[in-house]
Amino acid sequence: MFFILCLLPILGTAQETERCKVFYSEDSADFEQWMQANQSTPTELEERMDFNIPMIFHIVHNGDVLNSIGNTSAESVYAQIETLNEDFNRKLGSNGYNDHPDGASLSINFCPAKVDPDGNVLQEFGINRIQRNKPKWSTSEIRNELMQEVYWDPSRYLNVYVVEIATSGLTRFLGFAQFPSSSNLSGLNNDQGGASTDAIVLHNAVVGNHEKVPNFGLLNENNLGRVATHEIGHWLGLIHIWGDGDCDADDFCSDTPNASDPNNSCLENQSCGEIDMIENYMDYSPDACMNIFTNDQVARMITVLRNAPRRKSLNTSNVCREPINQSFFDNKITIGPNPVQGEFFINFNYSEDLSNAFALGVNLFDTQGKRIFNTSRKVDDLSFNIDVPAGIYFVQVSYEDFAKSFKILVIE
Ligand SMILES: [Zn+2]
């Protein structure tokens, strides 16, 4: 099993310089073979598609006041998601931009889920707040208790647990992630872990972006949202750029210079005959000096997004869209003006930019139940001219199994 723990030395102790550790299993060789075999070619890169990653942040608190570091605000979550989109897309004008010749963009969209697994619209998009009578969680408690109790289908959601991770000795854990499982591909037996733990975990003191939403509880060197970028890099198959070993250890990306150790500062460093790429998200440098994924790293992530179970399925997950259901019809569709004089409109209060994506059925009945007309209209074209005798009529609006009827008075 692959599991990656990212650690941070406790402030005030100089002994611990490593903030992250990776535990490999005997499956790692299989995983690398699979990755090599499935590496995207440059041609594929040019034709690459956009990827869609619905996210749910399980914010686990201990009765902490809302919008505190122990119960992260929705604004901080959205700042975090915005940061991910900047970093993975190398967005011009953002902290995630670089002009490095090896820099690359993944063309990906991280979005907050709008519905829970049962289809209910979330009170706070992308957020599931969980109160537990427990101030801190060890990594094993997170994996063996919390994740087993609470996880949303990882083929539809990227589960993100935000929790105060307990320190271990002199080391503070910033987060961890599960590598992509590939057991259905290439005949390889490389199970990286079950569905319930197929997630990323973030210490609650690193979630958000201090520049976007000031939050004075964030750790100084990790207040720009890059721990999440790093962990999702792992979740998409990336390995630390020093290969978790000396100069002979590889991260299987030829455009990230070999390094012998992680870097913990923004100072230039040379460890294996080349200057270390401290600005790479897969190093341990402070958030402020990170801004690059390389072409080879992006190729690995694309390979995973196209092939790995519980990754490729996210691209067709529709949980970031507001559902069209009966509740939606009851609450968000109105008609007017009423009385009607020649023309009426169906008002469709839909927040998504899906104006051409689907059509509504529209029927007009008289009081005897006789259908006057029956039409199907795209949701961006919902005005109707009617030429009927004055009187009472009924307009029925429908979509799939859902419908709502309106009584209108037509006047001369
Ligand atoms: Zn890591």
Side-chain angles (χ1 to χ4, degrees), residues 194-377:
S196 62
T197 52
D198 196 0
I200 74 165
V201 177
L202 300 173
H203 192 294
N204 57 22
V206 303
V207 175
N209 184 318
H210 183 81
E211 286 183 357
K212 298 177 187 296
V213 178
N215 184 334
F216 298 98
L218 296 181
L219 300 175
N220 281 342
E221 292 196 341
N222 303 97
N223 62 12
L224 295 175
R226 265 63 191 271
V227 175
T229 303
H230 177 106
E231 297 304 335
I232 292 174
H234 286 314
W235 180 80
L236 290 174
L238 298 189
I239 293 170
H240 294 135
I241 58 165
W242 68 99
D244 300 300
D246 58 19
C247 292
D248 294 328
D250 197 4
D251 66 348
F252 305 90
C253 292
S254 61
D255 54 7
T256 56
N258 280 359
S260 62
D261 293 288
N263 287 285
N264 293 298
S265 83
C266 291
L267 297 174
E268 185 176 301
N269 187 42
Q270 185 172 326
S271 64
C272 297
E274 294 176 88
I275 295 172
D276 293 351
M277 189 182 269
I278 59 166
E279 63 272 38
N280 196 285
Y281 295 116
M282 302 316 291
D283 204 339
Y284 284 168
S285 338
D287 281 10
C289 47
M290 287 180 161
N291 70 0
I292 185 171
F293 286 121
T294 66
N295 281 298
D296 285 357
Q297 287 177 319
V298 166
R300 287 174 67 94
M301 292 192 279
I302 288 174
T303 300
V304 167
L305 284 162
R306 283 183 174 166
N307 298 298
R310 298 195 298 257
R311 300 291 183 276
K312 65 179 180 181
S313 57
L314 293 175
N315 209 36
T316 52
S317 170
N318 60 6
V319 298
C320 286
R321 293 180 187 165
E322 196 172 355
I324 306 296
N325 52 24
Q326 192 57 47
S327 163
F328 184 89
F329 268 76
D330 292 342
N331 297 319
K332 299 204 169 177
I333 291 186
T334 57
I335 201 165
N338 195 6
V340 176
Q341 195 169 24
E343 184 177 34
F344 69 89
F345 303 90
I346 295 169
N347 302 306
F348 188 66
N349 181 18
Y350 195 52
S351 59
E352 308 295 327
D353 182 19
L354 290 172
S355 53
N356 290 308
F358 60 94
L360 297 176
V362 181
N363 288 292
L364 181 70
F365 297 97
D366 66 15
T367 53
Q368 308 304 309
K370 182 187 169 193
R371 185 152 66 191
I372 311 296
F373 71 72
N374 168 27
T375 186
S376 176
R377 286 285 190 87

Side-chain angles (χ1 to χ4, degrees), residues 151-165:
Y151 73 96
W152 291 9
D153 180 358
S155 65
R156 300 171 67 204
Y157 302 87
L158 166 51
N159 286 267
V160 181
Y161 296 84
V162 180
V163 59
E164 180 165 351
I165 308 174

